[in-house]
Amino acid sequence: MNSIRQVPTRVKSRRVEANLGAEREHFDKQQLSSISKAINTTETPVKEKHARRIILGTHREKGAYTFWSYALGFPLHSNSILCWKFCNVLHKVLRDGHRNVLQDCMRHHSSLVEIGKLWSNLHDKYGQLVALYSKLLCTKMEFHTKHSDIPPNLEVTDEVLERTAGTDINNVFQLTVEVFDYLDAELRLAETVLRQLNTSIAISTLTSGQCRLAPLIQVIQDCSHLYHFTVKLLFKLHACLPADTLQGHRDRFHDQFHSLKTFFNKARDMMYFKRLIQIPKLPDSPPNFLHAASLAKHVKPVVVIPDEEPEQQDDDDDDPEPLIEVSDVSTPSMQAQPQLDIFDKAFGPPNGGFDDRDLQIESLKRDLELLRAELERVKAEAQRYITQLKSQINSLEAELEEQRAQKQRALVENEQLRMELEATRRRNAEHESLQTTFIEAEKRSQATEQRYNKLKEKHTELVASHAELLRKSADTVKMLSATQQTQDEVERTKQQLSFEIDRIKQEADMKLEEQKFEMEKLRRELEEKMAEVTRIKGTLQSSEKASEQVTSSMTALQAEKERLMRSVSEKEAELSSLRQAAQAQQSSLRQERERSSRELGELQGKLQEKSSQEEQLKQKLLEEQFALLQGTVTEAESIIQDAVAKLDDPLHVRCTSSPDYLISRAEATLGSVDKVKKGHADYLSNMRDAGGLLRALTQFSHLAADTIINGSATAHMAPTDHADRLTENCRGCATESLQFFKDLKSKTTLQRADPASIRIVIQKILYLGQELRPKGSDVRQEELGDLVDKEMAATSAAIEEAVRRIDEMMNQARKDTTGIKLEVNERILFSCTDLMKAIRMLIIASTDLQKEIVEGGRGAATIKEFYARNSRWTEGLISAAKAVGWGATEMVESADKVVLHTGKYEELIVCSHEIAASTAQLVAASKVKADRHSTRLTTLQQASRHVNQMAANVVASTRTGQEHLEEKDTMDFSGMSLIKLRKEEMESQVKVLELESYLENERLRLGELRKKHYELAGVPLEPEGNGVRSPSPAHPGTMSPKPSKPALMKKPALAQKPTIPSKSMFK
């Protein structure tokens, strides 16, 4: 009976589990529906109800795991509108979602960065917006991860901001910079959206414009808080630091203030934002941080989101999400009042209520929840420890590699020191015999240097004396010019005085004429008045009045006359004084002119005397310059004679040199011959300056002696016929040089001295050196030219064949595969096709550049002769072309295996790197003899960069496809016990150690393979020096008589096989 009463409890627990499963399935279905409707390819804004359901889902599951599990399945790399709406939803989730959303999003930080980089390289309007939006979201996540006290919605009090900034001024300064960067990212996105909206002539009432404008609501909310943070932090900085230190912060804040104000004003005028958000107004001018009282005037901008009107639910929408969890609310009620089922109605409740086991189950469930939380914490801590250990392993590996490199360098240096010690011991035995000759040469050099120093001091004194004379002559000229200016000023003053006197005379005459005219006029008026008095004599009163008026007018006229006479006398007195002053000035000017004439005569006499002395000094300077030339020629003769003496020296027989070094010395000597010829012509045109000729002779003597010595050393290794001709030409070079020096030492033969004969002999030495250069051993010289064309043609044919096979694989893949596999295969094959086309353009550009090099450098020779003469360069081109063709064939094979799922993606990545390295080798081989300013060289370099970009695209598409097709385990450890977890952890550590050991062995094997590859390619393992090989300690490693290979045959650095990073580096 007791067992029957226990049946309803077990049935009830199973029913609760079934309800929980159905509720979880309903939740997943509803979240998938909301995410699919919010993130789609339609150019419309995200609906708020879908975003709200997604946000409520994050609060329900306390994270964003479900959101990311569905969002990662969208083709974010192929549709820009889809990616733009994804960023908008992610921004909403970060702001309003659960606090654990930030941690879940940081796990996908690298994916978000890759999305931004991808769309930034594409010319798409939404793509550029996606690149900026992804950068903003990454900045937001990094900022709030670092400062966990500030939530992603930025809604914190000033006390929390003060606590986050702390008391350390360095932390405050760094936090201010981070907030500046945060606000810059927000404003950059807003400015780009508004600029695109203007350029596309869209308005905010259209769906296309609203799709772009919708994320700006979150941007406005963030910007208002960030602006307030910036003001608070800057006032705090100005309270602790001087104003000059924060000038850059103030300038940056002013720029952001004006940008933010412009953005708010534009957004406030748009119809779209008026019903969705209330945008605050910023003050007309930014705060004055130099006055602390301005902080009280600052008002925090507040963004208001008005209450939304209830939206009508669509027919195809699911049921609305409950705002609270039903399971959490219903549990207490279920515990307080157990529900009755059919068994309870039939048999009654067990013992009048729940059984004790139900209470134990509930307590065990609570303990299980606590253990799960503890397990999550342990997992997080273990993950942190694993990350730290991995970083320590990487640092230790780097240190180990550095120690190995240092050990290798120490071994090489030890070997070099040992060889130098042996050479020093041999050299000490010969040093005693050469000591006497060295002492005599040193004495001769000291005597010559003393004589040169004396001549130099004398020349310095002459130059100083000549400069002093020039300064005195300039002073004399200045005095003469000043005297002349004084005379001119006196003449101008005299002319001005005479002009003033004439003007005063004219004015006086004019006033006298006016006064005479007035007198005549008054006289006529007086006569008229007298006649009138006679006529009106009958009237007494009128007559008396007329008489009185005439009398008064006569008195006034008499006074005016006297005043005019006085002014005339004053002007005449002033004129006489001016005449006396002019006469005194003329007498003083005459005396000054006589004194200046006497001084000028004296200065001219001194100038003639100085000119004669200067001529004497010039003559003396010419003689000293010629003496310097003779001394330099004598020293050059001794250098050439010393070089000729070494031709017969028995000790010199042991010295050897390479034809390449002899050619370089001979070419340098030819260049110095041209400088000597130019310096000789300059000296003949201006014999007062022999500096250019002296420098050219010094350089020529040393280079000619070096050519003679290296020619003799090269003859010791050459065949008998070539050795005799080379030695004879070296002696001829010395003879012609000495004859040229002899002509320079005499003034009679100085004009006809010509180094043309020296040039002819040195050109013969150069030709013999080119004949003695080593030839290719595997191909005859006359076949090299044809082989280059054949290899380039074969490479082009291999590329064409590769393109054809890729097209066939593409068609076959479309027939055999569908879905995500077909998309991955098409992406890989398209990138391979683009890479082959880029390689084909590179081959064409390299062929054009080779034709230009051959046409510009072969001269009168044929193309085959040019390739034969430059055999090493030709062999480098052939090797590079073979490598490119082989790489293309291998890539096609690897792509075929990958499409058929019989190969590895890593093989395709390695082939891409190998093709990039081979093309870089081809470019390096082509650039050796190309003109630096050649347009075809520029075209080749552009084609090489395009090949590298296409190879990178192949790698990127391969890795992306690999990530899409690989199955990822969820790593659910919820059902394991503590002992089981410890055991799994130990097994994982064992596997890590095994993989690290395997990785180390593979790296050693790769190093040995590369070493063997370089040996087969002809790259020497140790560097060989050029120049004369003698047993001197200065060249310890040049004892071998074999000529070193030129640098062209070395594989360039780009051709090394790259180390493929692990997959974790891309996540």
Coordinates of all heavy atoms in Angstrom, one line a residue, residues 16-62:
V16 N 7.5 16.9 -14.6 CA 8.2 18.2 -14.5 C 9.4 18.3 -15.4 O 9.6 19.2 -16.1 CB 8.7 18.5 -13.0 CG1 9.6 19.6 -12.9 CG2 7.5 18.7 -12.1
E17 N 10.1 17.1 -15.6 CA 11.2 17.1 -16.5 C 10.7 17.2 -17.9 O 11.3 17.9 -18.7 CB 12.0 15.7 -16.3 CG 12.7 15.6 -15.0 CD 13.4 14.3 -14.8 OE1 13.2 13.5 -15.8 OE2 14.1 14.1 -13.8
A18 N 9.6 16.6 -18.2 CA 9.0 16.7 -19.6 C 8.6 18.2 -19.9 O 8.8 18.7 -21.0 CB 7.8 15.8 -19.8
N19 N 8.0 18.8 -18.9 CA 7.6 20.2 -19.0 C 8.9 21.1 -19.3 O 8.9 22.0 -20.1 CB 6.9 20.7 -17.8 CG 5.5 20.0 -17.8 OD1 4.9 19.6 -18.8 ND2 4.9 19.9 -16.5
L20 N 9.9 20.8 -18.5 CA 11.2 21.6 -18.7 C 11.8 21.4 -20.1 O 12.2 22.4 -20.7 CB 12.2 21.2 -17.6 CG 11.9 21.7 -16.2 CD1 12.9 21.1 -15.2 CD2 11.8 23.2 -16.1
G21 N 11.8 20.2 -20.6 CA 12.3 20.0 -21.9 C 11.5 20.7 -23.0 O 12.0 21.3 -23.9
A22 N 10.1 20.6 -22.8 CA 9.3 21.3 -23.8 C 9.4 22.8 -23.7 O 9.4 23.5 -24.7 CB 7.8 20.9 -23.5
E23 N 9.6 23.3 -22.5 CA 9.8 24.7 -22.4 C 11.1 25.2 -23.0 O 11.2 26.2 -23.7 CB 9.8 25.1 -20.9 CG 9.9 26.6 -20.6 CD 9.8 26.9 -19.1 OE1 9.7 25.9 -18.3 OE2 10.0 28.1 -18.8
R24 N 12.2 24.4 -22.8 CA 13.5 24.7 -23.5 C 13.4 24.6 -25.0 O 13.9 25.5 -25.7 CB 14.6 23.7 -23.0 CG 15.9 23.9 -23.6 CD 16.5 25.3 -23.1 NE 17.7 25.6 -23.9 CZ 18.4 26.7 -23.7 NH1 18.0 27.6 -22.8 NH2 19.5 26.9 -24.4
E25 N 12.7 23.6 -25.5 CA 12.5 23.6 -26.9 C 11.7 24.7 -27.5 O 12.1 25.3 -28.5 CB 11.8 22.2 -27.3 CG 11.6 22.0 -28.8 CD 10.9 20.7 -29.1 OE1 10.6 20.0 -28.1 OE2 10.7 20.4 -30.3
H26 N 10.7 25.1 -26.7 CA 9.9 26.3 -27.1 C 10.8 27.6 -27.1 O 10.7 28.4 -28.0 CB 8.7 26.4 -26.2 CG 7.9 27.7 -26.5 ND1 7.1 27.9 -27.6 CD2 7.7 28.9 -25.8 CE1 6.5 29.0 -27.6 NE2 6.9 29.7 -26.5
F27 N 11.6 27.7 -26.1 CA 12.5 28.8 -26.0 C 13.5 28.9 -27.1 O 13.7 30.0 -27.8 CB 13.3 28.8 -24.6 CG 14.4 29.8 -24.5 CD1 14.1 31.1 -24.3 CD2 15.7 29.4 -24.6 CE1 15.1 32.1 -24.2 CE2 16.7 30.3 -24.6 CZ 16.4 31.7 -24.3
D28 N 14.1 27.8 -27.5 CA 15.0 27.7 -28.6 C 14.3 28.1 -29.9 O 14.9 28.8 -30.7 CB 15.7 26.4 -28.7 CG 16.6 26.1 -27.6 OD1 17.0 27.0 -26.9 OD2 16.9 24.9 -27.3
K29 N 13.1 27.5 -30.1 CA 12.4 27.8 -31.3 C 12.1 29.3 -31.4 O 12.2 30.0 -32.5 CB 11.1 27.0 -31.3 CG 10.3 27.2 -32.6 CD 9.1 26.3 -32.5 CE 8.2 26.5 -33.8 NZ 6.9 25.7 -33.7
Q30 N 11.7 29.9 -30.3 CA 11.3 31.3 -30.3 C 12.5 32.2 -30.5 O 12.4 33.2 -31.3 CB 10.6 31.7 -29.0 CG 9.9 33.0 -29.0 CD 9.2 33.2 -27.7 OE1 9.7 33.0 -26.6 NE2 7.9 33.6 -27.8
Q31 N 13.6 31.8 -29.9 CA 14.9 32.6 -30.1 C 15.3 32.5 -31.6 O 15.8 33.5 -32.2 CB 16.0 32.1 -29.2 CG 15.8 32.5 -27.8 CD 16.0 34.0 -27.6 OE1 17.0 34.6 -27.9 NE2 14.9 34.7 -27.1
L32 N 15.3 31.3 -32.2 CA 15.7 31.2 -33.6 C 14.8 32.0 -34.5 O 15.3 32.7 -35.4 CB 15.6 29.7 -33.9 CG 15.9 29.4 -35.4 CD1 17.3 29.9 -35.8 CD2 15.7 27.9 -35.7
S33 N 13.5 32.0 -34.2 CA 12.6 32.8 -35.0 C 12.9 34.3 -34.9 O 12.9 35.0 -35.9 CB 11.1 32.5 -34.6 OG 10.2 33.4 -35.3
S34 N 13.1 34.8 -33.6 CA 13.4 36.2 -33.5 C 14.7 36.6 -34.1 O 14.8 37.7 -34.7 CB 13.4 36.5 -32.0 OG 12.2 36.2 -31.4
I35 N 15.7 35.8 -34.0 CA 17.0 36.1 -34.5 C 16.9 36.1 -36.1 O 17.5 37.0 -36.8 CB 18.1 35.1 -34.0 CG1 18.3 35.3 -32.5 CG2 19.4 35.3 -34.8 CD1 19.2 34.2 -31.9
S36 N 16.2 35.1 -36.6 CA 16.1 35.1 -38.1 C 15.3 36.3 -38.6 O 15.6 36.8 -39.7 CB 15.4 33.8 -38.5 OG 16.1 32.7 -38.0
K37 N 14.3 36.7 -37.9 CA 13.5 37.9 -38.4 C 14.3 39.2 -38.2 O 14.1 40.1 -38.9 CB 12.2 37.9 -37.7 CG 11.3 36.8 -38.1 CD 10.0 36.8 -37.3 CE 9.1 35.6 -37.7 NZ 7.8 35.6 -36.9
A38 N 15.1 39.2 -37.1 CA 15.9 40.5 -36.9 C 17.1 40.6 -37.8 O 17.4 41.7 -38.2 CB 16.3 40.5 -35.4
I39 N 17.8 39.5 -38.1 CA 19.0 39.5 -38.9 C 18.7 38.9 -40.2 O 18.6 37.6 -40.3 CB 20.1 38.8 -38.2 CG1 20.4 39.4 -36.8 CG2 21.4 38.9 -39.0 CD1 21.4 38.7 -36.0
N40 N 18.4 39.7 -41.2 CA 18.2 39.1 -42.6 C 18.8 40.1 -43.6 O 19.4 41.1 -43.3 CB 16.6 39.0 -42.8 CG 15.9 40.2 -42.4 OD1 16.3 41.3 -42.7 ND2 14.8 40.1 -41.8
T41 N 18.6 39.7 -44.9 CA 19.2 40.5 -46.0 C 18.3 41.6 -46.5 O 18.7 42.3 -47.4 CB 19.5 39.5 -47.1 OG1 18.3 38.9 -47.5 CG2 20.5 38.5 -46.7
T42 N 17.1 41.8 -45.9 CA 16.2 42.9 -46.3 C 16.7 44.2 -45.8 O 17.1 44.3 -44.6 CB 14.8 42.6 -45.8 OG1 14.4 41.3 -46.2 CG2 13.8 43.7 -46.4
E43 N 16.7 45.2 -46.6 CA 17.3 46.6 -46.3 C 16.2 47.3 -45.5 O 15.6 48.3 -46.0 CB 17.7 47.3 -47.5 CG 18.6 48.5 -47.2 CD 19.2 49.2 -48.4 OE1 18.9 48.7 -49.5 OE2 20.0 50.1 -48.3
T44 N 15.9 46.9 -44.3 CA 14.9 47.5 -43.4 C 15.5 47.5 -42.0 O 16.4 46.7 -41.7 CB 13.6 46.8 -43.4 OG1 13.8 45.4 -43.0 CG2 12.9 46.8 -44.8
P45 N 15.1 48.5 -41.2 CA 15.6 48.5 -39.8 C 15.1 47.3 -39.0 O 14.1 46.7 -39.3 CB 15.1 49.8 -39.3 CG 13.8 50.1 -40.1 CD 14.1 49.6 -41.4
V46 N 15.9 47.0 -38.0 CA 15.5 45.8 -37.1 C 14.3 46.3 -36.2 O 14.3 47.3 -35.6 CB 16.7 45.5 -36.2 CG1 16.4 44.4 -35.2 CG2 17.9 45.1 -37.0
K47 N 13.3 45.4 -36.2 CA 12.1 45.7 -35.4 C 12.5 45.5 -33.9 O 13.2 44.6 -33.5 CB 11.0 44.7 -35.8 CG 10.4 45.0 -37.2 CD 9.2 44.2 -37.4 CE 8.6 44.5 -38.8 NZ 7.4 43.7 -39.1
E48 N 11.9 46.4 -33.1 CA 12.2 46.4 -31.7 C 11.7 45.2 -31.0 O 12.3 44.7 -30.0 CB 11.6 47.7 -31.1 CG 12.3 49.0 -31.4 CD 13.7 49.0 -30.8 OE1 13.9 48.4 -29.7 OE2 14.6 49.5 -31.5
K49 N 10.5 44.6 -31.4 CA 10.0 43.5 -30.7 C 10.9 42.2 -30.8 O 11.1 41.5 -29.9 CB 8.6 43.2 -31.2 CG 8.5 42.9 -32.7 CD 7.0 42.6 -33.1 CE 6.9 42.4 -34.6 NZ 5.5 42.2 -35.0
H50 N 11.5 42.1 -32.1 CA 12.5 41.0 -32.2 C 13.7 41.2 -31.4 O 14.2 40.2 -30.7 CB 12.8 40.8 -33.7 CG 11.7 40.6 -34.6 ND1 10.6 39.8 -34.3 CD2 11.4 41.2 -35.8 CE1 9.7 39.8 -35.3 NE2 10.1 40.6 -36.2
A51 N 14.2 42.4 -31.4 CA 15.4 42.7 -30.5 C 15.1 42.5 -29.1 O 15.9 42.0 -28.3 CB 15.9 44.1 -30.8
R52 N 13.9 42.9 -28.7 CA 13.5 42.8 -27.3 C 13.4 41.3 -26.8 O 13.8 40.9 -25.7 CB 12.1 43.5 -27.0 CG 11.8 43.6 -25.6 CD 10.4 44.1 -25.4 NE 10.1 45.3 -26.1 CZ 9.3 45.4 -27.2 NH1 8.6 44.3 -27.6 NH2 9.1 46.5 -27.8
R53 N 12.9 40.4 -27.7 CA 12.8 39.0 -27.4 C 14.2 38.4 -27.3 O 14.5 37.6 -26.4 CB 12.0 38.3 -28.5 CG 10.5 38.6 -28.4 CD 9.8 37.9 -29.5 NE 8.4 38.2 -29.6 CZ 7.5 37.9 -30.5 NH1 8.0 37.1 -31.5 NH2 6.3 38.2 -30.4
I54 N 15.1 38.8 -28.1 CA 16.5 38.3 -28.0 C 17.1 38.8 -26.7 O 17.8 38.0 -26.0 CB 17.3 38.8 -29.2 CG1 16.7 38.3 -30.5 CG2 18.8 38.4 -29.1 CD1 17.4 38.9 -31.8
I55 N 16.9 40.0 -26.3 CA 17.5 40.5 -25.1 C 16.9 39.8 -23.9 O 17.6 39.4 -22.9 CB 17.2 42.0 -25.0 CG1 18.0 42.8 -26.1 CG2 17.6 42.6 -23.6 CD1 17.7 44.2 -26.2
L56 N 15.5 39.6 -23.9 CA 14.9 38.8 -22.8 C 15.4 37.4 -22.7 O 15.5 36.8 -21.7 CB 13.4 38.8 -23.0 CG 12.7 40.2 -22.8 CD1 11.2 40.1 -23.1 CD2 12.9 40.6 -21.3
G57 N 15.7 36.8 -23.9 CA 16.3 35.5 -23.9 C 17.7 35.4 -23.2 O 18.0 34.5 -22.5
T58 N 18.5 36.5 -23.4 CA 19.8 36.5 -22.7 C 19.6 36.6 -21.2 O 20.4 36.0 -20.4 CB 20.6 37.7 -23.2 OG1 19.9 38.9 -22.9 CG2 20.9 37.6 -24.7
H59 N 18.6 37.3 -20.7 CA 18.3 37.4 -19.3 C 17.8 36.0 -18.8 O 18.0 35.7 -17.6 CB 17.3 38.5 -19.0 CG 17.9 39.9 -19.1 ND1 18.6 40.4 -18.1 CD2 17.9 40.8 -20.1 CE1 19.0 41.6 -18.4 NE2 18.6 41.9 -19.7
R60 N 17.1 35.4 -19.6 CA 16.5 34.1 -19.2 C 17.6 33.0 -19.0 O 17.6 32.3 -18.0 CB 15.4 33.6 -20.1 CG 14.8 32.3 -19.7 CD 13.7 31.9 -20.6 NE 13.1 30.6 -20.3 CZ 12.0 30.1 -20.8 NH1 11.4 30.8 -21.8 NH2 11.6 28.9 -20.5
E61 N 18.5 32.9 -20.0 CA 19.5 31.9 -19.9 C 20.8 32.4 -19.3 O 21.8 31.8 -19.3 CB 19.8 31.3 -21.3 CG 20.5 32.3 -22.3 CD 20.9 31.7 -23.5 OE1 20.8 30.4 -23.6 OE2 21.4 32.4 -24.4
K62 N 20.8 33.7 -18.9 CA 21.9 34.4 -18.2 C 23.2 34.3 -19.1 O 24.3 34.0 -18.6 CB 22.2 33.7 -16.9 CG 21.0 33.8 -15.9 CD 21.3 33.1 -14.6 CE 20.2 33.3 -13.6 NZ 18.9 32.8 -14.1

